[in-house]
Amino acid sequence: MRGLKPDWLSDPKVWRTEVLAGLVVALALIPEAISFSIIAGVDPALGLFASFTMAVTIAVVGGRRAMISAATGAVALVIAPLNREHGLGHLIAAVILAGFLQVVLGALGVAKLMRFIPRSVMVGFVNSLAILVFMTQVPELTDVPWAVYPLVVGGLALMVLFPRITRAIPAPLVSIVILTTITVAAGIAVPTVGDKGALPSALPVPGLPDVPFTLDTLATIAPYAFAMALVGLMESLMTAKLVDDITDTRSDKTRESIGQGIANIVTGFFGGIGGCAMIGQTMINVKVSGARTRLSTFLAGAFLMVLCIAFGPVVSDIPMGALVAVMIMVSVATFDWHSIAPKTLKRMPAGEIVVMLVTVVCVVATHNLAVGVVVGSVTAMVIFAKRVAHLADVTAVTTPDGSTVVYRVTGELFFASSNDLVGRFDYAGDPDRVVIDLSAAHVWDASSVATLDAVETRYAQRGKTVEITGLNTPSADLHGRLSGELAVGH
């Protein structure tokens, strides 16, 4: 029965780690949620409500333990135009619809598409995330009182040095408490969490979005909901894969996809702006604080509301410099420094480096992780197709009596490699009988079948016969179904 118990119920050390990690994440979530609310053009309370409901719900229904889901900048950017043009009611309705779409996509197995994302795209994704996390902190370091800079430096020093003393308490929490105490006690005037916006004073209340339930409303919100669903799933699944690698554990991506949808549905009915997995806060939870269970995720959301409602005045006094230091530490820890080491770059194929750079540039330029992943993956596929296209080869051997020529085709035949195949045969000079041996090849698509048909047609025009041999079972099935059916205008 012991194996059925969560670790945090049987191990006090795990309990302490999870509780303190949840507290640190909750503190880091507050200014982020308020900032994302501003991006979406809504009251800061709606971003905080979204972070609360997303974290608490995903802790129960999600497929990746210790991952943090909350209001995010990517989702806020997607739905901001809808709020500007049609109002808050349509935004909330879009969040709920996006949740339903995520449930459907999850049930249809969209998570399985993760296997097609190359490692170089994943590395670019991680590195661009680290850059974005750092870039979001730059505005907090410009046009601010000079006292902010020593606070940030002090926070970084505390987070580097404190773990050498003890790891029982997360260094970011120690840093936040010490810097807050110093600024309040000394009366140092620096930007604080309270300057970002008013914190809510009560829990969110469930309700329906204030929109007419008509087809016109559905047509208005559907494009935004679909975009939000895709962006949210992509960021969440990429984050889940990253946490899998960090913790050396596996997660249920299908359950996570459906869980993200359920969390957004709940969030929408509670008036939140929706969200998805947050990589920065997840890194604080998993990599910096060492959390590994659902408890930290649940407590991050619970502590968020407790801090806002019960300790609002205290939380409002936290200097932004303390949280900036935490996020800078997260960006440094997240970046894959090994990927840009000279030794690594020398050994890495040029195509892999190009894919990584394209992913990073697209993400940083658009501030949208999903765009970078899509463009990076497409770039990787193009490079792969170009590389594989040259692997198909053709060699010709004429029988001693000169009556037959045997062409031996080796490699993978698909749209890229088969395009040049037509020109590899000597139609005029070959004898009347031609054998094309495909025992060392594989036919993957209709383009290859059409190419083989074209070769046969050219020989037939010269009164010569072609025999195709050696097809493996899948290739023979495909060739049998499509041969003769692919002529232009058929």
Side-chain angles (χ1 to χ4, degrees), residues 460-473:
Q461 289 170 347
R462 292 168 173 81
K464 302 176 182 181
T465 60
V466 175
E467 180 185 357
I468 296 176
T469 64
L471 285 167
N472 57 33
T473 302

Side-chain angles (χ1 to χ4, degrees), residues 210-225:
D210 183 17
V211 293
F213 292 90
T214 63
L215 288 176
D216 286 342
T217 300
L218 181 61
T220 300
I221 67 173
Y224 296 95

Side-chain angles (χ1 to χ4, degrees), residues 69-220:
S69 290
T72 59
V75 169
L77 285 169
V78 169
I79 58 177
L82 179 63
N83 182 57
R84 284 197 302 269
E85 295 171 18
H86 300 280
L88 181 60
H90 283 74
L91 183 152
I92 301 301
V95 171
I96 296 172
L97 179 58
F100 279 110
L101 290 173
Q102 287 177 327
V103 171
V104 172
L105 290 171
L108 291 175
V110 70
K112 294 177 182 177
L113 296 176
M114 285 295 295
R115 72 182 69 178
F116 297 108
I117 297 179
R119 181 187 176 278
S120 50
V121 173
M122 189 69 190
V123 173
F125 172 79
V126 170
N127 289 347
S128 57
L129 160 72
I131 295 170
L132 282 186
V133 169
F134 182 82
M135 287 174 63
T136 58
Q137 307 311 307
V138 173
E140 305 295 340
L141 297 174
T142 54
D143 297 324
V144 293
W146 68 268
V148 171
Y149 302 109
L151 279 176
V152 173
V153 173
L156 292 171
L158 280 168
M159 283 183 283
V160 170
L161 300 174
F162 189 78
R164 299 182 183 181
I165 302 172
T166 179
R167 293 184 178 273
I169 304 174
L173 180 59
V174 174
S175 174
I176 291 170
V177 171
I178 290 176
L179 295 182
T180 303
T181 302
I182 291 173
T183 55
V184 172
I188 302 173
V190 292
T192 64
V193 170
D195 295 332
K196 288 287 183 181
L199 302 181
S201 57
L203 288 171
V205 177
L208 294 174
D210 183 17
V211 293
F213 292 90
T214 63
L215 288 176
D216 286 342
T217 300
L218 181 61
T220 300

Side-chain angles (χ1 to χ4, degrees), residues 400-418:
D401 61 4
S403 64
T404 304
V405 62
V406 178
Y407 284 95
R408 182 174 173 80
V409 181
T410 59
E412 308 299 319
L413 299 183
F414 66 112
F415 63 90
S417 62
S418 61

